[in-house]
Amino acid sequence: LGHNIIIYLIPIITLPVTKAPVTTVNSNMAKHIIVTTELPAVIKGDADWRIYRPLQLPNGVTCLLVHDKESKTTACSVSIGIGASADPRSLSGLAHFTEHMCFLGSEAYPEENAFKSYLSSHGGRSNASTSMSATTYKFDILAAHAEKVVDIFSNFFIAPLFTESGTAREVNAVDSENSKNESNDGRRRLQILKALADPTHHYSKFSTGNAKTLSVPLGTPSKDSSGDNVDEKKDDGGECINSNNDAHNASFVREALLAFHRRHYTPDNMTVAIVGPQDLDTLEDWIVPRFAKVKNNWNVKGLGKDRGNVLAQGEMSAAENFVEESAYDAPNDSFNGHSSEETDVHAMWNPAFHPGNQNGKWPVLLTTRPLQSVRKCYMYFPLPPTRSMGGQSPYSLLTHLLGHEGKGSCFAVLQDAGLVDSISAGARLSDQDQSLMQIYIALTEKGEGQWEDVVRTIFEYCRLMHQTAKLASASGCSNSNGNDSKTQSEALETLKRVWNELIAVRAINFHQTSPSNAYAFAPGVASNVRVFGTEKCISSGKLLDQTVDTLPLTHFLSFLEKLTPENCIIERCSQMAWDEKMGMVADQDSGIFGFQKEKWYGVEYHVSPIDSSVVEDWREGKKTQLSTSSDKGTPRRSDFASDTLHLPHKNRYIPQDLTLCKDLPIEAREGGPHISKQLQPPTLLRDNDFGRLWHKLDDRYCLPKSSISFLIRNGAVQSAWDDANNCWNYNSDSAMHTSLLLDSFYDGMAQETYDAGLAGLYWSLSKSSMGLTFKFSGYSQHLTDFALQMMRKFFTDQNQTSKDVDVNGNSFLCERHLATNKDRIIRHLKSYFKSKRADSYASYYTDFLLSSRGDGIDNSLRSAKAVTLDSLNEHYMLLSGMKGTHVDCLFSGNVSDMEAKRFFDGAENIMNDANQRYKKKEEPKSQKYDLGTIFFEPNDIDRRIFC
């Protein structure tokens, strides 16, 4: 680490800095010297053209300056390493309230709307958020106007006003935000989850706050001017509340706000990131002198030096005491430079969720009632914290395997059984002192009735992973016989292969991804600098420092040992689950089990122990018999008769060739991105009866990626032909059939395309008034073949009259996929207006009145109910067999014109074959085309405006 000593002048004069620190003084204008410390350089990807300069100011503020030559805006973000975990329990929402109040003026800019007014006048925007562990502020603005708003923004953290009038008004804004959250299923479920946490743990705190919690704190007597305690009275809950008038209440809350800001908005707890087209020296001139003014006002007052003496001597005000006591609830969430080898994660582990919260009777079943019509199941596993583990965190491997959707996965087995729509796994919480793994399962109607079987399958897969890890860890032991040694070796090689694929894919994506926009990047990188340090603020989680030999087998095995029924909370979230509980005899222990009411939202929920026989089935399952799948070395085990559980096969889509197209000039292939180069229009390669092919070789980004947009113009996609008027009219039945057709195709392809998605190949199929649009994008090596494979799957389906699909998923047009998606759409339409805010209603009806297409919720619901497998097959054959459809294709990126033609010719052959196979109807003779565009007659447009 080195130091740069820079003289900041007023006006600031920036001088070149040589390799050795240099001090330059203007004797007439020099005001003070600011010494900045160089921090470790940022590890960035090969395709990242940004230039980074990480600095630390003498007061402790960490700054990351980012020059992005391509950005049209300048974005800035500040991340504070404190959130709702530090709220006083009797002043819930204080961190969130502080976030709101920072926007309402400072000593330098006292006008409450100065910041937002300047942004709105110069193409800017801003936002902020408060989590349990951090508070993040951000803005962006047209680059030419950035310096002034940086000055206004910095003063949020130097000297905010927190005026009494603003404090009183902003409580209403927080209360309004909280009221909006009360009708949001996600927020309601979050509060219920917090209700199950240890009530003494910081995670259980109510983070948003409302008008009631942001009044005078419960149980906190304040003092009058003479220093005596004011009279107290009891609220309905038996807690002490202050009985002063509203003016005194607002004054105390303002004092608490100021104390919270002084205590936590300290320089050493603050990270600043600024991203813009300005050069680094200019950005430094803007940021350093301003944020160097941020002071540690808590220590200046002496409150942070000797906590015990300060408390004993009574040197704190009531508000300061309030803030100080709660500050120690929150774990330190900021980067300390320690490696995983230096940190004992189990010593840091302080779980909010543990069996003791429910009298040791885990697993427990949590039943919640959603406002929307959904069928969801969640499995929660409290696990040790992993932030300090870096790339050795087992979460990458665990969530990859549990959320996998390829053949042999939990999803594949359960989807083929007709029980689930989707499965995902990830960290619900990832704090410095705990983590909470969540497995989310979207159930079908059949799966709702067999949720216990679904959960059992998840535990079966966890045991499979655990057995594989145990075998792998025993590999090479001297006491193993020949057969055991072979099985152990195969298990280790399987896990190493999966781990190596994860490493390869993440490294490729890291190095072959262009920078995102400044507004999205700034807050994320500011938070990452605070948590992971400057060096890994972009590369954290990308496994760049991992190899096939660094498989985190010990951590992986340790975490798998905790994925058991005894360490699990299961949540069912559906109306059916709620109705089941309503029909049961009430539980005796209403304090822990039975129907409960969440404290802040008043939402009802039900908690119950799970029958021991069910738990035993989950715990033991079927007798495990490991063998080898068709993919050598992949352990597997029998489960559902329709399929088997096993670890993933080798991913054949991971690109091995990342070279650039030979048609590019050598300077483009070897010189990196040339974003400033003038964009040229695509070239028309084909124009025939089938359609048009446009090609654009990318010579600007110079990445080994391509994209295909393939529009099939067909009026029957969401319209019906009107013979009387010779035009296409929007038809809700056609639109609904197409929607269900596409949804069924997505379901049918989920298992087959999952590996492609992991390897960076993406696809979509959407409908519009113009027709169907296929889109494909990703790494060039496999893109053409992947796109043709997907089109072939859609247009040459072999089981069009099948009432159900076989276990290998040979047909996407089957009763199972139709029933699943039809049920989902009907439930969505029926509950469309539930939990909607007033502005959502207004937006819906405005669009409905002004739109020329769409028949509204009622007609869409009628159309959805009327769809059958036969009618869907008929609609499919109509779309596939309609003669005269016209296509437009754009193939752009790292692709030669020969490769573009190969794709276009292949697509033409596929569609012509489908046209011959399903031909039923000639195109209407009066169908109008203008360069392939379907025209709708003007008199067909119904604006639905009534006077």
Side-chain angles (χ1 to χ4, degrees):
L1 300 179
H3 294 80
N4 287 336
I5 303 176
I6 302 172
I7 302 296
Y8 283 94
L9 310 172
I10 301 177
I12 295 172
I13 299 176
T14 305
L15 299 174
V17 179
T18 62
K19 291 184 179 179
V22 173
T23 301
T24 308
V25 180
N26 181 315
S27 58
N28 294 323
M29 303 182 68
K31 298 298 182 182
H32 59 279
I33 297 174
I34 300 177
V35 181
T36 63
T37 303
E38 295 178 358
L39 296 176
V42 175
I43 298 172
K44 67 174 188 174
D46 295 343
D48 187 351
W49 57 72
R50 288 171 171 157
I51 304 174
Y52 300 85
R53 180 182 293 173
L55 302 170
Q56 187 172 56
L57 307 188
N59 59 357
V61 174
T62 300
C63 303
L64 182 64
L65 316 174
V66 186
H67 168 57
D68 185 347
K69 62 182 181 179
E70 300 303 324
S71 181
K72 299 298 186 292
T73 64
T74 298
C76 186
S77 177
V78 170
S79 179
I80 310 294
I82 205 66
S85 290
D87 282 348
R89 288 195 176 272
S90 49
L91 199 58
S92 296
L94 184 60
H96 182 215
F97 193 28
T98 304
E99 169 221 305
H100 274 244
M101 289 300 300
C102 279
F103 285 92
L104 301 184
S106 62
E107 291 181 4
Y109 297 92
E111 301 87 354
E112 285 190 1
N113 66 341
F115 179 67
K116 293 187 177 181
S117 176
Y118 190 86
L119 286 175
S120 62
S121 299
H122 298 89
R125 53 184 169 170
S126 66
N127 209 337
S129 63
T130 302
S131 68
M132 295 304 294
S133 59
T135 306
T136 303
Y137 302 79
K138 64 178 180 178
F139 76 83
D140 81 341
I141 192 169
L142 294 174
H145 308 285
E147 185 176 11
K148 174 66 178 295
V149 79
V150 168
D151 194 53
I152 301 174
F153 186 62
S154 64
N155 277 277
F156 289 3
F157 314 102
I158 297 169
L161 287 180
F162 294 171
T163 63
E164 291 185 11
S165 60
T167 301
R169 288 195 308 275
E170 202 63 21
V171 167
N172 295 326
V174 173
D175 191 64
S176 176
E177 183 177 338
N178 180 68
S179 297
K180 175 195 69 177
N181 292 340
E182 289 177 357
S183 61
N184 180 285
D185 275 334
R187 299 297 301 218
R188 291 159 67 93
R189 289 184 48 256
L190 171 63
Q191 288 306 129
I192 292 171
L193 186 63
K194 285 174 174 282
L196 267 62
D198 185 333
T200 66
H201 195 280
H202 61 86
Y203 181 74
S204 67
K205 294 183 179 182
F206 176 43
S207 59
T208 309
N210 58 31
K212 181 178 180 181
T213 67
L214 293 171
S215 61
V216 169
L218 299 175
T220 306
S222 58
K223 297 181 179 181
D224 61 18
S225 58
S226 65
D228 295 330
N229 287 348
V230 298
D231 293 336
E232 299 173 359
K233 64 180 181 180
K234 299 282 184 177
D235 72 351
D236 293 338
E239 295 179 286
C240 294
I241 62 173
N242 194 284
S243 60
N244 286 324
N245 59 36
D246 290 342
H248 183 83
N249 292 356
S251 176
F252 185 90
V253 173
R254 179 175 179 271
E255 288 178 19
L257 282 166
L258 290 167
F260 191 91
H261 193 277
R262 287 196 302 272
R263 176 64 176 83
H264 297 296
Y265 282 52
T266 55
D268 59 342
N269 201 31
M270 187 178 299
T271 299
V272 182
I274 185 167
V275 186
Q278 298 82 2
D279 61 72
L280 290 174
D281 290 339
T282 298
L283 295 176
E284 187 169 337
D285 289 345
W286 290 359
I287 293 296
V288 172
R290 291 177 169 91
F291 281 90
K293 296 177 184 178
V294 179
K295 296 179 180 179
N296 190 333
N297 293 311
W298 199 254
N299 279 341
V300 167
K301 190 175 179 180
L303 298 179
K305 294 180 179 179
D306 189 342
R307 178 173 179 256
N309 288 339
V310 169
L311 290 172
Q313 296 168 12
E315 296 179 13
M316 287 187 179
S317 68
E320 290 168 339
N321 183 44
F322 228 54
V323 169
E324 176 69 7
E325 286 290 346
S326 61
Y328 294 88
D329 291 349
N332 184 0
D333 193 51
S334 297
F335 177 69
N336 58 19
H338 291 169
S339 66
S340 58
E341 289 78 13
E342 299 171 327
T343 306
D344 182 358
V345 296
H346 286 83
M348 300 168 57
W349 193 12
N350 175 32
F353 302 92
H354 52 79
N357 297 339
Q358 284 77 39
N359 284 350
K361 296 183 179 179
W362 277 22
V364 292
L365 176 63
L366 167 65
T367 306
T368 56
R369 178 174 56 177
L371 297 177
Q372 296 288 324
S373 181
V374 296
R375 298 192 184 97
K376 297 180 178 180
C377 181
Y378 298 86
M379 300 172 69
Y380 302 105
F381 298 92
L383 298 173
T386 61
R387 282 193 180 181
S388 61
M389 293 182 181
Q392 284 288 292
S393 168
Y395 260 95
S396 296
L397 197 53
L398 279 173
T399 56
H400 171 69
L401 293 174
L402 286 168
H404 206 280
E405 295 184 5
K407 297 295 183 181
S409 65
C410 291
F411 170 79
V413 170
L414 293 169
Q415 188 198 40
D416 288 345
L419 302 180
V420 304
D421 287 332
S422 64
I423 295 178
S424 62
R428 181 66 176 82
L429 298 174
S430 182
D431 292 333
Q432 196 66 25
D433 61 347
Q434 65 168 335
S435 67
L436 183 70
M437 175 177 281
Q438 170 185 286
I439 301 175
Y440 162 64
I441 309 155
L443 298 168
T444 64
E445 185 175 8
K446 179 181 178 183
E448 178 81 60
Q450 295 180 230
W451 69 272
E452 292 175 0
D453 292 331
V454 172
V455 171
R456 176 178 59 79
T457 304
I458 303 293
F459 281 123
E460 290 273 347
Y461 197 78
C462 290
R463 281 196 298 276
L464 170 62
M465 291 190 296
H466 185 247
Q467 278 199 306
T468 305
K470 284 182 67 177
L471 285 170
S473 64
S475 179
C477 292
S478 58
N479 60 349
S480 300
N481 60 41
N483 291 332
D484 288 344
S485 178
K486 180 180 178 182
T487 305
Q488 292 164 0
S489 178
E490 289 176 349
L492 180 60
E493 289 305 310
T494 296
L495 290 179
K496 280 189 171 183
R497 172 179 57 77
V498 174
W499 176 245
N500 199 40
E501 289 179 352
L502 269 178
I503 293 171
V505 168
R506 294 197 185 184
I508 290 171
N509 290 337
F510 179 73
H511 287 295
Q512 303 298 335
T513 300
S514 300
S516 58
N517 70 78
Y519 189 59
F521 179 71
V525 78
S527 297
N528 283 353
V529 167
R530 182 180 54 77
V531 175
F532 302 112
T534 56
E535 185 177 20
K536 296 184 178 181
C537 62
I538 300 175
S539 61
S540 176
K542 304 302 187 293
L543 306 179
L544 299 183
D545 55 351
Q546 302 300 304
T547 68
V548 66
D549 295 321
T550 63
L551 171 71
L553 189 55
T554 301
H555 289 316
F556 184 58
L557 187 56
S558 172
F559 276 49
L560 281 169
E561 289 170 351
K562 297 176 176 63
L563 301 188
T564 63
E566 292 77 13
N567 189 46
C568 184
I569 298 173
I570 296 171
E571 177 188 356
R572 293 181 65 197
C573 179
S574 70
Q575 186 62 46
M576 176 179 172
W578 186 257
D579 291 342
E580 288 177 8
K581 294 302 177 184
M582 291 293 291
M584 296 173 60
V585 178
D587 298 277
Q588 297 300 315
D589 188 359
S590 59
I592 296 177
F593 297 113
F595 288 98
Q596 310 286 332
K597 182 173 288 190
E598 190 275 328
K599 179 178 180 179
W600 301 109
Y601 286 3
V603 182
E604 283 191 305
Y605 62 96
H606 187 277
V607 181
S608 60
I610 298 174
D611 186 86
S612 59
S613 63
V614 174
V615 176
E616 185 66 20
D617 182 45
W618 291 346
R619 185 186 299 114
E620 300 298 331
K622 298 180 180 180
K623 184 177 180 181
T624 301
Q625 294 181 341
L626 286 176
S627 60
T628 303
S629 74
S630 56
D631 218 18
K632 184 178 179 181
T634 304
R636 67 192 302 174
R637 59 165 305 171
S638 296
D639 200 298
F640 282 89
S642 61
D643 208 342
T644 55
L645 288 171
H646 60 77
L647 298 188
H649 297 307
K650 181 179 179 179
N651 190 339
R652 68 183 189 274
Y653 291 105
I654 297 176
Q656 306 299 318
D657 181 5
L658 296 172
T659 58
L660 296 179
C661 180
K662 294 181 180 179
D663 291 353
L664 282 170
I666 190 168
E667 62 270 17
R669 280 184 280 143
E670 298 179 357
H674 299 78
I675 310 302
S676 58
K677 188 172 182 179
Q678 185 175 358
L679 183 63
Q680 299 297 322
T683 301
L684 182 63
L685 297 183
R686 292 279 175 83
D687 188 0
N688 53 32
D689 291 340
F690 175 67
R692 297 177 298 182
L693 169 64
W694 301 87
H695 170 255
K696 178 68 179 73
L697 178 62
D698 171 43
D699 57 355
R700 299 174 75 242
Y701 289 90
C702 301
L703 294 173
K705 297 179 178 180
S706 304
S707 65
I708 302 171
S709 183
F710 193 86
L711 170 62
I712 306 168
R713 299 185 183 274
N714 190 325
V717 166
Q718 59 179 26
S719 301
W721 181 252
D722 184 348
D723 287 322
N725 295 302
N726 283 338
C727 68
W728 292 97
N729 287 332
Y730 178 85
N731 182 275
S732 61
D733 290 337
S734 294
M736 184 56 65
H737 275 80
T738 302
S739 293
L740 286 168
L741 178 67
L742 303 191
D743 289 343
S744 296
F745 186 62
Y746 273 101
D747 281 0
M749 295 299 104
Q751 296 178 37
E752 295 193 34
T753 61
Y754 187 76
D755 276 349
L758 290 177
L761 291 176
Y762 308 105
W763 70 279
S764 67
L765 178 57
S766 60
K767 67 179 176 65
S768 69
S769 59
M770 293 184 290
L772 296 176
T773 301
F774 273 103
K775 289 188 178 181
F776 307 96
S777 62
Y779 296 104
S780 307
Q781 182 183 5
H782 300 300
L783 186 66
T784 297
D785 292 334
F786 175 68
L788 291 174
Q789 173 192 346
M790 294 301 296
M791 294 188 68
R792 195 173 293 113
K793 288 285 186 181
F794 183 77
F795 285 109
T796 61
D797 189 277
Q798 298 299 312
N799 292 311
Q800 302 307 322
T801 58
S802 171
K803 292 296 181 182
D804 207 343
V805 66
D806 66 17
V807 296
N808 295 315
N810 287 330
S811 171
F812 70 88
L813 276 177
C814 65
E815 194 67 58
R816 175 165 61 82
H817 291 319
L818 172 60
T820 296
N821 289 289
K822 182 176 175 180
D823 170 70
R824 178 185 53 79
I825 287 179
I826 289 174
R827 284 186 291 112
H828 168 72
L829 293 173
K830 283 184 175 180
S831 62
Y832 184 83
F833 290 114
K834 291 184 179 179
S835 76
K836 294 285 185 181
R837 294 160 45 192
D839 55 347
S840 298
Y841 281 85
S843 177
Y844 167 77
Y845 282 113
T846 299
D847 291 342
F848 180 66
L849 288 171
L850 297 179
S851 175
S852 62
R853 301 183 183 95
D855 289 341
I857 296 297
D858 292 338
N859 282 329
S860 295
L861 182 59
R862 174 195 55 76
S863 296
K865 291 178 177 179
V867 176
T868 65
L869 184 60
D870 289 339
S871 66
L872 192 63
N873 274 316
E874 184 177 348
H875 185 69
Y876 170 81
M877 289 186 282
L878 172 65
L879 296 182
S880 301
M882 180 174 285
K883 185 178 178 182
T885 54
H886 192 270
V887 306
D888 275 305
C889 176
L890 171 63
F891 203 150
S892 61
N894 183 51
V895 58
S896 66
D897 56 359
M898 289 184 61
E899 184 72 359
K901 292 174 183 177
R902 182 172 81 87
F903 166 75
F904 195 72
D905 291 343
E908 182 176 6
N909 291 335
I910 291 169
M911 291 187 63
N912 284 340
D913 289 345
N915 181 264
Q916 293 300 317
R917 182 179 296 110
Y918 305 122
K919 182 168 61 175
K920 275 195 168 186
K921 179 178 180 179
E922 297 289 335
E923 80 281 10
K925 294 180 180 179
S926 54
Q927 184 171 345
K928 298 182 180 180
Y929 287 99
D930 180 359
L931 298 179
T933 301
I934 298 175
F935 272 68
F936 291 81
E937 296 293 342
N939 60 8
D940 180 51
I941 297 177
D942 173 15
R943 295 291 181 181
R944 301 189 185 91
I945 299 298
F946 302 97
C947 299

